[in-house]
Amino acid sequence: MLSSSLQSSLSNLSCSPSSPSDLPEYDTCVSKLMIAPCRSEGILNGMEVQVAGGAAGEDRVQAVCSEEHGLLFCAIYDGFNGRDAADFLAGTLYESVMFYSNLFEWESKIDATRAPDDSDFGGHLQYIFEDERKDSAANSFAKASLHPEREISSSFQHAVLDSLQRALNQAENDFLHMVEQEMEDRPDLVSVGSCVLLVLLHGNNLYTLNLGDSRAVLATYDEVNDLSGHKRLKAIQLTESHTVENEDEKTRLLSEHPDDPMPIVAGKVKGKLKVTRAFGVGYLKKKNLNDALMGILRVRNLISPPYVSTQPSLNVHRITKSDHFVIVASDGLFDFFTNEETVDLVSCYIVSNPSGDPAKFLLEHLVERAAECAGFSLEELMNVPAGRRRKYHDDVTVIVIILGTNKRASKASTCV
């Protein structure tokens, strides 16, 4: 089921899985949404969003281009133990981000009236341009897009990142409240969760928020040329992987639970979850939610919850002319490909198929490699029912954002 809505200067495309009767032969259906060139010269000049979706399982994806705010919002919600958490995020997170960005604008106006100069702003996160503090006509994102050639202040960047985190916290609180209200009738909700990977392009800045093991990889031209004299593309991972296999995450988890001798069991958090940070999964965060589960489903010795963090990794990258594209994907893609391999595949495809869909191309290669690893032909793997194919490859969602040379984005491709 693909749905799209177009409202004046805002274009929103969300993707959910098809019903079994609607699934095409190879689990791929394509929908194209053409977005008119933005009036602002700073970002998203004539962007095309392509979505290929099918048996998406528990993954959800969002791609929103807003001319009004001069931004591109892309997010992947990799759900697990059910679809409810990913569905909740897809239905609320973007609106919450917009709400909190406007709230920061309102708060900064109040601070500006109290503080006539820089020294009086203290620790508040201010994101109004230094020469535009008196101008309160436009909201924060719109104001930045009016003057894309100006350097955005670090306080603005911090405010954007803070608004992303506050929106995520709000979604988490609302979701767990809903779970508590409904767990008597639906105790399964306490174990439902989702990883979150959010990418926001605004001006020359690429903001990322990550919770879990999805990944954003930037392809940028290296300063060092190869043997033929051409610049090489290198892969830069913009996000951290929040799993027990990450030694930093393992150390953090152990240090936060000194009274628990077994916070990690069989390579998983309390023997239940590979990721150390995630949205939802209330039974690993609150004792009363864990008590709602029966028998072996309940976590034993939940000594010092929460065991799964909702503190995201936040990052801002200043885009340069050397940056070529960004791959945003759930972890299933990287079960089969390294960062460098994904960059090489997309780069070669773009050169030979400039009008093609690199996200769909990546998934086609993933299915081929999954079949090879399983000892199947491609046809044999595709004949395995969608539910049973999870044995051979995970649900995978891929977004490829191609960065323009002088514009912030010329094309975005999404495939589920």
Side-chain angles (χ1 to χ4, degrees):
M1 179 175 63
L2 295 173
S3 62
S4 62
S5 61
L6 181 62
Q7 299 176 349
S8 61
S9 60
L10 175 66
S11 298
N12 186 5
L13 184 62
S14 60
C15 182
S16 299
S18 304
S19 62
S21 60
D22 295 332
L23 294 180
E25 181 179 0
Y26 291 105
D27 287 344
T28 57
C29 56
V30 179
S31 173
K32 293 185 179 180
L33 175 64
M34 298 302 296
I35 300 174
C38 295
R39 290 183 294 274
S40 168
E41 289 299 318
I43 181 175
L44 305 177
N45 184 42
M47 190 191 72
E48 179 186 67
V49 177
Q50 296 178 326
V51 174
E58 296 164 332
D59 283 9
R60 297 294 181 270
V61 61
Q62 277 185 307
V64 181
C65 174
S66 172
E67 294 182 38
E68 178 184 0
H69 298 108
L71 61 86
L72 172 65
F73 174 101
C74 294
I76 291 176
Y77 312 120
D78 185 1
F80 49 86
N81 298 334
R83 302 172 176 175
D84 301 82
D87 283 339
F88 189 90
L89 287 164
T92 62
L93 190 57
Y94 173 75
E95 289 75 11
S96 295
V97 169
M98 292 299 98
F99 169 79
Y100 278 108
S101 66
N102 289 332
L103 179 61
F104 266 114
E105 173 68 15
W106 178 75
E107 290 175 345
S108 67
K109 291 175 185 176
I110 293 177
D111 291 336
T113 61
R114 295 174 180 171
D117 55 52
D118 288 348
S119 61
D120 293 330
F121 277 90
H124 291 285
L125 292 174
Q126 301 299 321
Y127 52 83
I128 300 178
F129 290 114
E130 294 182 358
D131 57 348
E132 295 180 329
R133 287 197 183 94
K134 296 181 181 179
D135 177 14
S136 60
N139 63 42
S140 59
F141 285 127
K143 182 177 292 183
S145 65
L146 291 174
H147 301 282
E149 71 280 0
R150 300 182 184 177
E151 190 78 19
I152 296 179
S153 65
S154 60
S155 58
F156 178 92
Q157 295 172 347
H158 283 293
V160 173
L161 293 174
D162 197 66
S163 68
L164 298 180
Q165 180 167 347
R166 292 175 72 177
L168 179 65
N169 290 341
Q170 182 67 56
E172 169 84 355
N173 292 336
D174 291 345
F175 181 74
L176 291 185
H177 177 73
M178 181 270 291
V179 170
E180 289 180 321
Q181 297 299 310
E182 299 186 14
M183 65 182 181
E184 185 174 345
D185 297 325
R186 285 197 59 193
D188 61 295
L189 285 176
V190 303
S191 63
V192 174
S194 179
C195 298
V196 182
L197 177 52
L198 185 158
V199 173
L200 180 71
L201 272 78
H202 179 258
N204 291 325
N205 292 301
L206 187 148
Y207 302 89
T208 56
L209 176 150
N210 185 52
L211 198 67
D213 56 1
S214 296
R215 195 178 300 181
V217 178
L218 173 71
T220 188
Y221 286 104
D222 200 340
E223 294 181 358
V224 179
N225 297 337
D226 59 21
L227 296 177
S228 62
H230 299 291
K231 288 187 176 180
R232 299 175 300 182
L233 270 179
K234 63 179 180 179
I236 299 177
Q237 186 170 324
L238 300 176
T239 54
E240 300 178 28
S241 292
H242 302 140
T243 70
V244 292
E245 296 171 353
N246 182 331
E247 287 299 322
D248 291 337
E249 284 294 289
K250 182 178 180 180
T251 300
R252 177 189 62 79
L253 186 62
L254 294 174
S255 65
E256 289 180 356
H257 303 278
D259 298 328
D260 189 341
M262 299 183 68
I264 300 175
V265 179
K268 295 182 179 180
V269 179
K270 299 303 288 185
K272 298 292 184 179
L273 202 61
K274 182 181 71 173
V275 294
T276 55
R277 308 191 197 192
F279 177 88
V281 286
Y283 76 126
L284 290 170
K285 296 177 179 178
K286 293 186 176 184
K287 186 178 185 302
N288 67 313
L289 299 184
N290 182 51
D291 291 341
L293 294 172
M294 301 292 290
I296 62 172
L297 298 177
R298 183 182 299 173
V299 179
R300 295 183 180 181
N301 301 318
L302 198 72
I303 297 173
S304 53
Y307 284 87
V308 174
S309 173
T310 317
Q311 178 67 34
S313 293
L314 297 160
N315 182 54
V316 57
H317 170 75
R318 179 74 176 178
I319 298 174
T320 70
K321 291 184 177 180
S322 297
D323 298 332
H324 190 13
F325 55 83
V326 180
I327 300 170
V328 184
S330 52
D331 66 301
L333 177 67
F334 303 100
D335 289 339
F336 293 94
F337 299 111
T338 66
N339 294 344
E340 290 73 18
E341 286 176 321
T342 60
V343 165
D344 289 343
L345 284 169
V346 171
S347 176
C348 292
Y349 181 80
I350 291 174
V351 171
S352 58
N353 299 274
S355 61
D357 186 342
K360 184 179 178 182
F361 174 75
L362 270 181
L363 290 196
E364 289 171 348
H365 269 263
L366 181 146
V367 174
E368 290 176 359
R369 181 163 292 189
E372 179 182 348
C373 292
F376 293 161
S377 68
L378 180 60
E379 183 179 1
E380 288 173 332
L381 180 62
M382 300 309 294
N383 286 332
V384 176
R388 292 174 56 192
R389 272 174 49 195
R390 289 291 295 271
K391 179 180 179 181
Y392 305 106
H393 66 80
D394 196 0
D395 294 339
V396 180
T397 301
V398 178
I399 302 173
V400 177
I401 306 169
I402 302 175
L403 305 171
T405 303
N406 298 310
K407 308 295 180 181
R408 281 287 53 80
S410 59
K411 183 176 179 182
S413 166
T414 306
C415 191
V416 182

